[in-house]
């Protein structure tokens, strides 16, 4: 079975929405900032409202009291969200026992209903809603569960459950744990000495959350590299932390059929290949993410020229629902251009605007843009191809402006140690000095080239590194 992260998350949200059925039919959904983002990326507003949802409210806002309706909460298991929940339920928040990382052993697969150990208390004031059905986006730490029980509000909680949705999916088969900022620096820099295990523990919890969503108990394999050569690798400690975390939810997941081959989780880390993220790559997707501004991982916004000469701001979503993106994203940019031009020609066929082009004239990207602009009646059909034509044009503008063809050749020579003719590459230090001292080359590209040179030449002294950095005239920022 191929994991579909989008469908798994949809199912978790939908089951919660379907499962909460108040007597008076309608319910209010309450979300915090993080859970709202997860919900928005997973379900459309219409899909949420069709499950008898009267309205959606933000936990952080000053909401009005409504004792005539029950509330379904989707919350991040954080102290802030738990404290606001307690206040909503009519309890008071104590200042003790607010943080910690100890977790209970009743994992994300727990059935809906009251959690073990909950005892009804006496709320101190009137609650905000008639009753609460609480769904946390991942495992609730013991210390926060104790906080809820201590507040004496459990009699107003109809159900408390943990979901497995605390991950960001990018397409059906890709997700990010998105736990920490600047992960490479935080995990690998010798200057960061504290919190290393905390970072890995957070990542392992997220991986377990995904396994819970997919109902999978994987066999773990990890890359073990020579520490002398590759430095402090992270795959092994993460593998052991993951295994410990999986033990917490293992019993709550369905047993695998005997005839099903085991699912494998393969853990590798960046120390095995530090060069790939720095090298310029010229497949369509790599160029888009490297050279253009992409919002929220998938959205590209651009200004389109309309047939009447006016301009319109458009946004294209680069994801699994875009067939052009799915077909060409991993192809080399020249192959992707050819493919899109071919599709374009097939679509417009013998249309008058194409016929008006001079016979035998080569149809390039800018000509295609002109054709699209002059064919308003084809706007719907051509919108997708038009968007990709624009994206490719913008990629190629950057490619030429930043002399990336020459830079990429130098990068490849440095990494391989040979030229394209398979001769030993001997002029690396001269070539890199030329580029670093060239004011036409952008600083970000000089920095990448410098990093590649340092990795390819580990025996450089600190003085030699400083000398090269000085050539590029980097500021201290």
């Amino acid at each position: 079975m191929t994991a579909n992260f989008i469908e798994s998350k949809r199912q978790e949200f939908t089951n919660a929405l379907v499962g909460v059925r108040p007597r008076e039919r309608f319910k209010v959904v309450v979300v915090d900032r993080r859970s709202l983002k997860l919900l928005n990326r997973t379900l459309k507003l219409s899909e949420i409202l069709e499950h008898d949802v009267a309205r959606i409210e933000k936990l952080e806002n000053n909401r009005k009291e409504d004792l005539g309706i029950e509330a379904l909460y989707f919350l991040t298991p954080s102290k802030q969200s738990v404290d606001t929940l307690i206040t909503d339920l009519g309890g008071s928040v104590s200042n003790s026992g607010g943080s910690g990382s100890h977790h209970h052993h009743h994992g994300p697969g727990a059935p809906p209903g009251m959690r073990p150990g909950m005892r009804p208390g006496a709320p101190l004031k009137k609650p905000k809603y008639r009753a609460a059905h609480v769904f946390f986006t991942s495992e609730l730490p013991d210390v926060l569960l104790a906080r809820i029980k201590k507040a004496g509000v459990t009699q107003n909680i109809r159900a408390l459950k943990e979901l497995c949705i605390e991950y960001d999916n990018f397409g059906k088969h890709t997700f990010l744990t998105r736990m920490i900022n600047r992960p490479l620096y935080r995990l690998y820099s010798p200057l960061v000495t504290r919190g290393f295990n905390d970072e890995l523990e957070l990542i392992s919890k997220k991986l377990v959350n995904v396994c819970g969503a997919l109902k999978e108990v994987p066999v773990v394999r990890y890359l073990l590299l020579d520490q002398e050569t590759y430095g402090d690798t992270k795959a092994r400690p993460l593998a052991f932390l993951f295994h410990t975390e999986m033990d917490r939810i293992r019993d709550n997941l369905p047993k695998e059929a005997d005839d099903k081959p085991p699912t494998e989780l393969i853990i590798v880390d960046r120390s095995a290949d530090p060069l790939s993220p720095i090298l310029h790559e010229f497949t369509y997707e790599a160029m888009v993410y490297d050279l253009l501004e992409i919002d929220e991982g998938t959205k590209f916004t651009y200004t389109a020229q309309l047939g009447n000469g006016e301009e319109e701001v458009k946004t294209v979503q680069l994801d699994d629902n875009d067939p052009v993106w799915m077909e060409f994203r991993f192809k080399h940019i020249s192959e992707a251009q050819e493919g899109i031009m071919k599709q374009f020609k097939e679509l417009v066929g013998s249309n008058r605007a194409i016929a008006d082009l001079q016979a035998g004239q080569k149809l390039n990207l800018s000509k295609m843009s002109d054709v699209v602009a002059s064919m308003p009646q084809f706007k719907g059909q051509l919108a997708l191809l038009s968007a990709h034509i624009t994206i490719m044009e913008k990629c190629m503008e950057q490619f030429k402006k930043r002399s990336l063809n020459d830079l990429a050749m130098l990068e490849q020579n440095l990494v391989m140690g040979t030229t394209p003719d398979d001769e030993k590459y001997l002029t690396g230090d001269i070539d890199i000095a030329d580029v670093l001292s060239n004011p036409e080359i952008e600083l970000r590209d000089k920095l990448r080239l410098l990093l590649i040179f340092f990795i390819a030449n580990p025996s450089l002294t600190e003085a030699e590194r400083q000398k090269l950095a000085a050539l590029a005239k980097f500021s201290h920022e």
Side-chain angles (χ1 to χ4, degrees):
M1 183 197 78
T2 305
N4 185 333
F5 299 112
I6 294 175
E7 197 48 49
S8 294
K9 195 181 284 189
R10 282 179 65 87
Q11 204 58 53
E12 290 271 286
F13 272 123
T14 305
N15 288 347
L17 288 163
V18 170
V20 175
R21 297 177 179 173
R23 282 199 312 274
E24 55 283 335
R25 185 181 169 189
F26 286 101
K27 56 190 172 265
V28 58
V29 168
V30 183
V31 289
D32 59 27
R33 284 191 188 91
R34 168 69 183 162
S35 63
L36 176 60
K37 279 185 183 174
L38 291 170
L39 188 59
N40 279 343
R41 287 176 186 166
T42 310
L43 296 175
K44 295 174 184 169
L45 181 61
S46 58
E47 291 175 314
I48 299 167
L49 296 178
E50 72 184 21
H51 295 294
D52 297 329
V53 173
R55 62 185 182 272
I56 300 170
E57 298 183 343
K58 294 180 184 175
L59 186 75
E60 295 83 4
N61 290 358
N62 189 14
R63 292 156 288 126
K64 66 178 182 181
E65 180 186 295
D66 188 352
L67 288 171
I69 199 164
E70 294 184 17
L72 188 168
Y73 287 82
F74 288 121
L75 300 180
T76 310
S78 66
K79 178 177 177 291
Q80 186 180 5
S81 290
V82 164
D83 282 353
T84 310
L85 170 68
I86 289 168
T87 306
D88 276 11
L89 297 171
S92 60
V93 177
S94 65
N95 292 321
S96 60
S99 61
S101 59
H102 298 295
H103 291 259
H104 54 81
H105 294 269
H106 198 77
M114 200 65 72
R115 287 279 295 277
M118 284 194 166
R119 293 184 181 84
L124 302 178
K125 54 184 185 295
K126 203 188 291 182
K128 199 171 282 288
Y129 308 104
R130 177 181 290 179
H133 306 258
V134 186
F135 293 80
F136 286 101
T137 55
S138 63
E139 195 179 11
L140 181 69
D142 275 347
V143 69
L144 293 180
L145 175 61
R147 200 169 176 81
I148 294 170
K149 290 196 286 188
K150 187 178 177 183
V153 295
T154 54
Q155 67 193 47
N156 286 333
I157 300 177
R158 291 278 166 85
L160 196 154
K161 190 183 177 185
E162 297 153 326
L163 303 176
C164 297
I165 51 177
E166 192 57 62
Y167 57 91
D168 294 306
N169 43 272
F170 289 88
K172 293 175 184 173
H173 311 304
T174 312
F175 72 94
L176 289 179
T177 53
R178 280 243 173 134
M179 277 305 297
I180 54 178
N181 293 322
R182 302 170 71 198
L184 284 177
Y185 175 74
R186 301 267 291 272
L187 289 172
Y188 292 98
S189 172
L191 302 175
V192 181
T193 53
R194 290 186 308 168
F196 160 72
N197 274 329
D198 291 346
E199 313 288 12
L200 287 183
E201 192 177 333
L202 287 170
I203 294 168
S204 71
K205 287 182 193 305
K206 292 295 181 186
L207 289 174
V208 168
N209 204 246
V210 172
C211 290
L214 299 175
K215 307 290 187 284
E216 293 281 3
V217 181
V219 173
V220 183
R221 306 194 188 285
Y222 60 89
L223 182 68
L224 191 58
L225 297 169
D226 175 38
Q227 214 151 334
E228 288 282 318
T229 308
Y230 292 94
D232 191 11
T233 62
K234 304 295 181 284
R236 186 174 186 272
L238 180 57
F240 279 86
L241 281 167
F242 172 83
H243 193 270
T244 303
E245 285 296 321
M246 271 307 292
D247 285 343
R248 301 183 189 281
I249 72 163
R250 200 180 301 271
D251 293 341
N252 296 306
L253 296 176
K255 295 284 182 285
E256 292 187 353
D258 292 338
D259 58 346
K260 179 182 179 289
T263 302
E264 291 191 354
L265 173 67
I266 300 171
I267 299 177
V268 296
D269 75 306
R270 185 43 66 194
S271 56
D273 174 24
L275 287 161
S276 290
I278 317 169
L279 290 165
H280 285 96
E281 188 192 329
F282 301 127
T283 53
Y284 184 27
E285 183 184 66
M287 289 186 77
V288 166
Y289 282 104
D290 193 358
L291 306 178
L292 307 181
E293 291 288 331
I294 305 295
D295 297 321
E296 296 177 24
T298 57
K299 293 178 185 172
F300 176 67
T301 303
Y302 65 100
T303 304
Q305 296 284 338
L306 302 180
N308 59 8
E310 293 181 6
E311 293 185 342
E312 183 182 354
V313 175
K314 295 188 174 185
T315 298
V316 61
Q317 189 94 10
L318 302 170
D319 59 20
D320 292 2
N321 298 314
D322 178 341
V324 178
W325 178 247
M326 293 305 290
E327 183 174 351
F328 296 108
R329 63 194 292 195
F330 299 130
K331 294 194 186 313
H332 190 275
I333 190 71
S334 58
E335 196 182 340
Q337 280 180 355
E338 257 176 56
I340 286 181
M341 284 183 183
K342 186 181 174 194
Q343 284 193 9
F344 182 88
K345 286 177 181 176
E346 287 171 358
L347 183 63
V348 296
S350 59
N351 181 269
R352 184 74 195 166
I354 289 286
D356 284 347
L357 285 174
Q358 291 176 11
Q361 189 173 19
K362 192 173 178 185
L363 186 60
N364 59 27
L365 286 174
S366 61
K367 288 249 172 8
M368 287 167 71
S369 295
D370 294 340
V371 171
V372 171
S374 68
M375 294 165 56
Q377 74 273 30
F378 278 76
K379 188 177 175 185
Q381 291 170 280
L382 294 173
L384 200 55
L385 284 172
S386 174
H388 284 281
I389 290 165
T390 303
I391 292 170
M392 285 188 171
E393 280 184 326
K394 300 218 175 277
C395 283
M396 294 314 294
E397 279 171 20
Q398 288 293 312
F399 179 82
K400 289 167 186 164
K401 179 186 168 192
R402 289 161 62 175
S403 308
L404 294 185
N405 195 39
D406 295 335
L407 272 177
M409 182 61 72
L410 176 51
E411 291 171 358
Q412 290 294 329
N413 289 348
L414 287 170
V415 169
M416 300 304 296
T418 56
T419 67
D421 301 323
D422 211 23
E423 294 173 1
K424 193 168 175 60
Y425 181 57
L426 301 170
T427 58
D429 47 355
I430 298 167
D431 292 343
I432 194 169
D434 285 346
V435 171
L436 292 176
S437 56
N438 183 350
E440 299 295 312
I441 305 294
E442 293 194 13
L443 278 178
R444 55 185 162 175
D445 293 322
K446 289 182 182 181
L447 179 59
R448 283 165 73 158
L449 192 61
L450 205 54
L451 289 171
I452 290 165
F453 190 66
F454 289 169
I455 294 169
N457 296 277
S459 58
L460 285 173
T461 64
E462 186 59 30
E464 287 170 324
R465 291 177 184 221
Q466 294 289 354
K467 189 176 175 184
L468 283 168
L471 273 179
K473 294 186 167 58
F474 290 125
S475 68
H476 288 292
E477 290 175 12

